[in-house]
Amino acid sequence: MACCGITKWGWSFPAIVLVGALFVVGAVARNNSQADEKKESAKMLRHVVLFKFKETSSAEDVAKILKEFETLPSKIPQIAAFEWGTDNSPEGLADGFTHCFLITFKSEKDRDAYLPHEAHQAFVGVVKPHLEKVLVVDYWAK
């Protein structure tokens, strides 16, 4: 048979090569698409909350608030992760904010469900009387 002849299955050699190449290109494109989907699904929405408590709020008040905040992930399924800590920066630029909370969501839809959620609103009612200032920043983690 010649190089460009017809095989016993009725296919020419260039046709077989073309089909094979299309199969490889399709497989690579599918793998890239799956990688893009994984990368996209790995993006997380961070909800950063900083508290500056009133001077009139006692250590017991603050402890109660922290305990309440820590219960939210068990009450609100849209919370993907939760952590918090107190300022210990040597720069002195915290402007009186002492507590930082990082709540992670998988989507804006999850964050948007969290904000009006009954448990979150109950927490806001507990913390609000003790806040001198609050700062909230949301961002997509890169």
Side-chain angles (χ1 to χ4, degrees):
M1 135 175 90
C3 93
C4 295
I6 304 295
T7 66
K8 66 179 181 178
W9 302 286
W11 288 66
S12 69
F13 182 73
I16 292 171
V17 170
L18 179 61
V19 169
L22 290 174
F23 177 77
V24 170
V25 168
V28 169
R30 186 174 57 249
N31 285 343
N32 286 343
S33 175
Q34 290 170 344
D36 289 344
E37 287 175 15
K38 284 182 182 176
K39 186 186 290 184
E40 189 67 27
S41 68
K43 283 178 46 177
M44 299 299 256
L45 181 61
R46 308 287 194 216
H47 179 71
V48 181
V49 180
L50 301 172
F51 287 163
K52 177 180 181 179
F53 289 101
K54 292 180 178 178
E55 289 184 21
T56 56
S57 295
S58 69
E60 292 80 17
D61 293 330
V62 173
K64 178 183 174 189
I65 290 164
L66 297 176
K67 187 172 183 168
E68 284 293 315
F69 211 159
E70 288 178 325
T71 67
L72 291 184
S74 67
K75 297 175 181 177
I76 305 174
Q78 290 84 359
I79 296 174
F82 173 86
E83 62 184 84
W84 70 273
T86 56
D87 176 53
N88 72 350
S89 173
E91 296 176 291
L93 300 174
D95 195 29
F97 290 95
T98 57
H99 291 72
C100 179
F101 304 86
L102 181 63
I103 302 104
T104 301
F105 302 98
K106 293 180 181 176
S107 67
E108 289 179 0
K109 182 180 174 185
D110 286 351
R111 188 254 337 260
D112 295 347
Y114 161 82
L115 293 173
H117 192 282
E118 179 182 346
H120 178 248
Q121 290 303 307
F123 170 72
V124 169
V126 170
V127 71
K128 195 171 184 178
H130 297 281
L131 293 179
E132 179 76 28
K133 279 178 151 181
V134 64
L135 176 66
V136 177
V137 176
D138 292 356
Y139 68 93
W140 282 102
K142 298 192 187 253

